[in-house]
Amino acid sequence: AAGPLSNVQLTGTVSSPSVSASGVTVAKLNVPLAWRDGVLSLNGTSALVNGAPVSVSGSVSPLKGQLALSVTSQGLTAKSLSAFVPGLPKIDGAADLTAKVTGSFSNPQVQLSAKSASLALDPVSVKGFWIATDQKLSVQDGVPSSLELAFGADRLVAAGVPIDSLTGKLNYDGQSVRFSNVQGSAGGPLSLAGSVRLSDLALDAQAELVGGDLAKITKLLAPGMVSG
């Protein structure tokens, strides 16, 4: 076709039984696409990404560096996400996810929510877990340099210590996960703050408990980090 690329109109379907690159395996790929006025429409796209079913709809404007996409997935695992979130530890369990990504390639606005009935990372297990965010990201080489999330859980059990009605905020920077404004109940009102280094899961945290059993909370944190 002659003329500027933005004037070309194309429709078609891209499909593949399996393709792998940079630690990501995409199977059963089906991409109905349409190119019109410099915009690539991807409505009805589906695939298995590292084993997790993913559906995508929306559009990408590569000439302008803009996108507007909606993504849903069920049964996401840590293995599914490991290529996208470097340093992510092995977590047992799966989560369902919905996301909207709009704006520029390098600084997209991301609205994301995910939930899981059950997750476990020994010695921690979580029931009724959820995360959510609505923020503008800085993306380098396809990976966000940082990510801030609100989270909650019906119950978290760590080293045999149960914490109920847990809520708080997480900040991921590629090397560690910082947690702040964490509130819950462990026989009394509990507040937590600190960080976990992803390379060796080293914990640096402080806690305050009003009532409840301080001895149990001390099992989770280094001596001197608990008050109440």
Side-chain angles (χ1 to χ4, degrees):
L5 183 59
S6 60
N7 293 341
V8 176
Q9 297 183 24
L10 296 171
T11 60
T13 300
V14 176
S15 61
S16 174
S18 182
V19 60
S20 298
S22 302
V24 180
T25 298
V26 179
K28 297 183 179 180
L29 176 66
N30 183 67
V31 186
L33 54 83
W35 176 274
R36 183 184 178 92
D37 298 329
V39 177
L40 180 64
S41 297
L42 301 170
N43 295 322
T45 296
S46 62
L48 295 176
V49 179
N50 284 351
V54 177
S55 298
V56 179
S57 62
S59 62
V60 178
S61 303
L63 301 180
K64 297 180 179 179
Q66 297 287 312
L67 73 167
L69 296 174
S70 296
V71 181
T72 61
S73 182
Q74 294 182 330
L76 278 174
T77 64
K79 181 179 179 180
S80 304
L81 296 172
S82 59
F84 307 100
V85 185
L88 188 68
K90 183 181 183 301
I91 301 172
D92 294 326
D96 298 337
L97 174 145
T98 61
K100 289 185 178 181
V101 184
T102 58
S104 68
F105 292 172
S106 58
N107 294 106
Q109 184 74 28
V110 176
Q111 294 176 288
L112 177 147
S113 64
K115 60 182 179 180
S116 175
S118 177
L119 295 172
L121 175 62
D122 189 50
V124 178
S125 63
V126 186
K127 301 291 186 183
F129 181 72
W130 61 265
I131 58 174
T133 190
D134 185 355
Q135 67 175 112
K136 182 167 287 189
L137 300 181
S138 176
V139 178
Q140 300 176 351
D141 298 324
V143 178
S145 57
S146 65
L147 183 62
E148 296 179 358
L149 298 165
F151 75 92
D154 294 337
R155 167 166 280 208
L156 180 147
V157 179
V161 179
I163 302 174
D164 295 314
S165 303
L166 191 66
T167 61
K169 294 182 178 180
L170 298 175
N171 184 289
Y172 163 81
D173 62 10
Q175 304 297 322
S176 64
V177 175
R178 297 192 304 275
F179 49 95
S180 61
N181 299 323
V182 179
Q183 306 290 327
S185 176
L190 173 68
S191 299
L192 289 168
S195 63
V196 177
R197 189 168 57 226
L198 295 177
S199 60
D200 56 5
L201 300 182
L203 174 67
D204 179 10
Q206 295 180 335
E208 180 178 351
L209 179 65
V210 179
D213 190 340
L214 278 174
K216 290 183 177 180
I217 301 301
T218 305
K219 290 170 59 179
L220 307 180
L221 307 173
M225 290 186 177
V226 180
S227 62

